[in-house]
Amino acid sequence: MKVYNTLTRKKEEFIPIEPGKVKMYSCGPTVYNFFHIGNARPFIVFDVLRRYLEYRGMEVTFVQNFTDIDDKVIKKANEEGVTYDVIADRYIKEYFTDAGGLGIHPATVHPRATENIGEIIDIISGLVEKGYAYQSGGDVYYRTRAFKEYGKLSHQPLEELEAGARIDVSEHKEDPMDFALWKAAKPGEPSWDSPWGKGRPGWHIECSAMARRYLGETIDIHSGGIDLCFPHHENEIAQSEALSGKPFAHYWMHNAFLNIDNQKMSKSLGNFFTVREAAESYGYDAIRFFMLSAHYRSPLNYSREQLEQARAGLSRIYSALDNLRFLQQNAAAGEMTEDERQSTQTFDGWRSKFCEAMDDDLNTADAVSVIFELVRAVNTVAARPDVTAAYAQAALAILSELCGVLGIEKPEEQGADDSEIEALIEQRQTARKNRDFKEADRIRDELKARGIVLEDTPQGVKWHRA
Ligand code: AMP
Ligand code: ZN
């Protein structure tokens, strides 16, 4: 598999440190609010990367943190008159609700910054000892100029980064480009004991600490949105590599922005939709499918039309899957026909095409096209009156396999009781057999009122939700 590495600005063959094992770290959300569709993009994209690596037989250890202490969390807590952890707990819970809805598998570990204060202090102490960090008042800063490779991820020298950055000037810093590793406690803010007095960690240090604790000094893949490249990831590299003297991550992967009206969706601009809101309109599965319709390094524009298109695309896939499931139960038993056998002989080819797309820097857009082509091919064979259950089963297996890699799964229809609907369909069949057409029509109308559409096929009655 080839992946685009921001560090080298090239597509490179992905070679894990230890064959068959992958260590992956992705920057997670700051938990002070529901997450928006822009935030959902890295969560979905890197969930797909993880699923694909696992599909290709690798064992993936995936760490995604929760930033549970920062200015925004504290502000929200103060507004509500509660402690920071009440806010963090609430939005971590909401994260799992939305992430679950989006079909994002839980990471191997979801550590919180505040559970890793010991590790953070340990790293800062090491940096101070080595001369990469200094105490100033109750703060500790990273001495950016001491790390000669600073800027290697952004491919810009320190001077240019400095000119372009909005720098937090402080009289405590030796240099405007230095950044806080530890912040002295302020009144009304949560704080922890440290060798520099009471305080709390800066943002960048938490990822260096959690990556080291859960994955080790050198990891395979570090990922996040492109906005994190500078300064966050640049600072993570400076912290981790200055301390260990080893490369921090071999591959740096960044997703492009999710835009709205061609502007980055962000909380600070106020132009965002939460995943929760969008899911109410289109369904979680359509949001996921929409994200996969573009390559992760291409900007993606959020619009009603795009989401509706995703919904329609998903319906095509779902109805193919439903149809195959139905035929598997109800179509003719016995050997496949010659046409069917020929069709199944093309399945390996579809799988290879799918993998070829995914191997090319996770080209989910092309992988989705392969699924649509497969759906079309399978639908044609499955529409024949002599279709066999054996064919349906084989087609269902390949289609489910490829959909599963992307996490395309029909959500459980909540509140629906399928057995009750099937019982009503049975009753209608009996009524028809007894030529009680009035009763049969009554049941059909009742089902219709419940949003159930019936279809008579050579293999029996099929139903779906409208
Ligand atoms: P945050 O909670 O702001 O730290 O963001 C969590 C993740 O979402 C990070 O990986 C960000 O890079 C990413 N992110 C935020 N906004 C967008 C956006 N509009 N498009 C794509 N990724 C984004
Ligand atoms: Zn991070």
Side-chain angles (χ1 to χ4, degrees):
M1 177 182 197
K2 282 197 157 67
V3 297
Y4 181 86
N5 188 352
T6 310
L7 194 60
T8 57
R9 288 180 158 171
K10 279 195 209 101
K11 264 194 216 176
E12 293 174 9
E13 192 58 38
F14 175 66
I15 304 165
I17 301 162
E18 207 183 317
K21 298 208 166 139
V22 182
K23 295 176 180 185
M24 216 175 131
Y25 186 98
S26 207
C27 298
T30 306
V31 280
Y32 71 105
N33 211 329
F34 291 90
F35 68 90
H36 62 66
I37 305 176
N39 302 132
R41 191 167 192 194
F43 304 155
I44 294 169
V45 162
F46 299 112
D47 175 66
V48 170
L49 173 63
R50 177 210 192 170
R51 283 174 186 248
Y52 184 62
L53 293 169
E54 286 174 347
Y55 174 68
R56 298 303 300 263
M58 296 193 214
E59 191 187 302
V60 182
T61 309
F62 181 44
V63 178
Q64 185 184 291
N65 66 304
F66 286 117
T67 300
D68 64 343
I69 186 83
D70 91 325
D71 292 344
K72 290 166 286 194
V73 179
I74 295 170
K75 183 165 172 271
K76 181 101 175 178
N78 289 341
E79 279 165 13
E80 292 192 19
V82 295
T83 51
Y84 83 91
D85 51 315
V86 172
I87 300 296
D89 285 349
R90 182 195 304 157
Y91 291 108
I92 286 174
K93 196 164 160 264
E94 301 296 4
Y95 168 86
F96 283 116
T97 301
D98 286 328
L102 290 170
I104 297 166
H105 285 160
T108 318
V109 197
H110 277 284
R112 301 182 187 198
T114 61
E115 291 167 350
N116 290 277
I117 301 289
E119 185 78 19
I120 289 171
I121 290 174
D122 193 45
I123 295 187
I124 301 175
S125 303
L127 289 170
V128 171
E129 251 166 57
K130 287 190 147 191
Y132 286 102
Y134 57 94
Q135 180 175 2
S136 177
D139 298 336
V140 182
Y141 293 98
Y142 189 93
R143 189 174 278 128
T144 307
R145 280 179 203 282
F147 185 66
K148 295 292 168 248
E149 292 182 289
Y150 196 86
K152 70 175 173 179
L153 185 66
S154 324
H155 303 277
Q156 287 197 52
L158 193 61
E159 289 64 35
E160 269 170 47
L161 289 171
E162 187 169 0
R166 272 185 293 146
I167 296 160
D168 189 10
V169 185
S170 153
E171 75 260 30
H172 297 298
K173 290 189 198 175
E174 290 176 1
D175 187 292
M177 280 305 275
D178 294 351
F179 58 91
L181 298 170
W182 188 260
K183 300 176 174 183
K186 293 196 193 114
E189 285 192 3
S191 61
W192 288 261
D193 288 327
S194 83
W196 317 284
K198 280 192 174 298
R200 64 179 168 98
W203 172 36
H204 315 297
I205 194 69
E206 69 176 76
C207 291
S208 286
M210 291 185 257
R212 187 179 82 156
R213 175 162 174 195
Y214 295 98
L215 297 170
E217 287 175 330
T218 302
I219 66 174
D220 294 298
I221 303 171
H222 195 313
S223 58
I226 191 70
D227 54 333
L228 298 189
C229 187
F230 177 78
H232 184 55
H233 289 163
E234 202 72 70
N235 291 354
E236 284 188 37
I237 291 177
Q239 295 163 161
S240 298
E241 298 192 359
L243 188 68
S244 72
K246 296 175 190 158
F248 178 35
H250 285 165
Y251 302 89
W252 286 85
M253 294 177 73
H254 294 100
N255 62 275
F257 287 144
L258 177 97
N259 294 327
I260 183 157
D261 300 325
N262 298 312
Q263 210 178 18
K264 179 196 173 194
M265 183 179 284
S266 81
K267 279 186 190 136
S268 56
L269 292 171
N271 60 350
F272 66 91
F273 288 101
T274 63
V275 165
R276 192 66 60 89
E277 289 170 299
E280 273 165 25
S281 308
Y282 310 104
Y284 281 115
D285 52 343
I287 300 171
R288 184 180 182 102
F289 195 61
F290 156 70
M291 295 290 178
L292 303 180
S293 65
H295 186 265
Y296 75 95
R297 286 191 296 114
S298 308
L300 183 58
N301 209 45
Y302 176 83
S303 70
R304 164 177 284 276
E305 294 75 48
Q306 291 275 329
L307 265 291
E308 281 170 358
Q309 212 175 312
R311 189 68 274 148
L314 269 185
S315 300
R316 263 161 60 206
I317 297 172
Y318 289 164
S319 56
L321 288 167
D322 283 346
N323 187 35
L324 293 170
R325 274 188 212 107
F326 173 80
L327 292 173
Q328 194 188 359
Q329 300 285 332
N330 298 288
E335 301 254 309
M336 281 190 224
T337 65
E338 191 44 42
D339 279 359
E340 289 179 339
R341 230 187 311 273
Q342 274 176 19
S343 170
T344 58
Q345 274 160 13
T346 66
F347 289 172
D348 283 346
W350 293 107
R351 187 185 289 109
S352 305
K353 259 180 107 177
F354 177 90
C355 290
E356 220 172 275
M358 296 295 275
D359 281 344
D360 183 14
D361 191 28
L362 206 72
N363 195 335
T364 55
D366 283 1
V368 165
S369 303
V370 172
I371 290 183
F372 278 133
E373 287 174 54
L374 175 61
V375 163
R376 214 168 301 137
V378 161
N379 278 350
T380 311
V381 180
R384 299 195 182 136
D386 59 348
V387 60
T388 64
Y391 178 75
Q393 190 175 356
L396 184 60
I398 176 80
L399 195 53
S400 308
E401 175 186 322
L402 302 188
C403 284
V405 177
L406 299 181
I408 301 171
E409 274 143 345
K410 198 172 175 182
E412 296 297 314
E413 320 239 12
Q414 283 170 2
D417 185 353
D418 291 1
S419 58
E420 194 191 335
I421 289 158
E422 272 149 25
L424 278 167
I425 294 173
E426 255 328 291
Q427 284 172 32
R428 175 172 168 266
Q429 289 301 90
T430 313
R432 280 186 2 165
K433 246 186 246 146
N434 298 337
R435 305 190 68 78
D436 184 354
F437 297 114
K438 214 169 139 205
E439 174 66 1
D441 287 349
R442 189 197 63 75
I443 297 173
R444 181 175 206 117
D445 290 346
E446 184 187 331
L447 286 165
K448 195 172 162 200
R450 293 166 71 160
I452 307 298
V453 181
L454 302 184
E455 192 191 328
D456 291 308
T457 75
Q459 290 82 19
V461 182
K462 254 171 79 178
W463 65 274
H464 65 269
R465 290 186 171 80

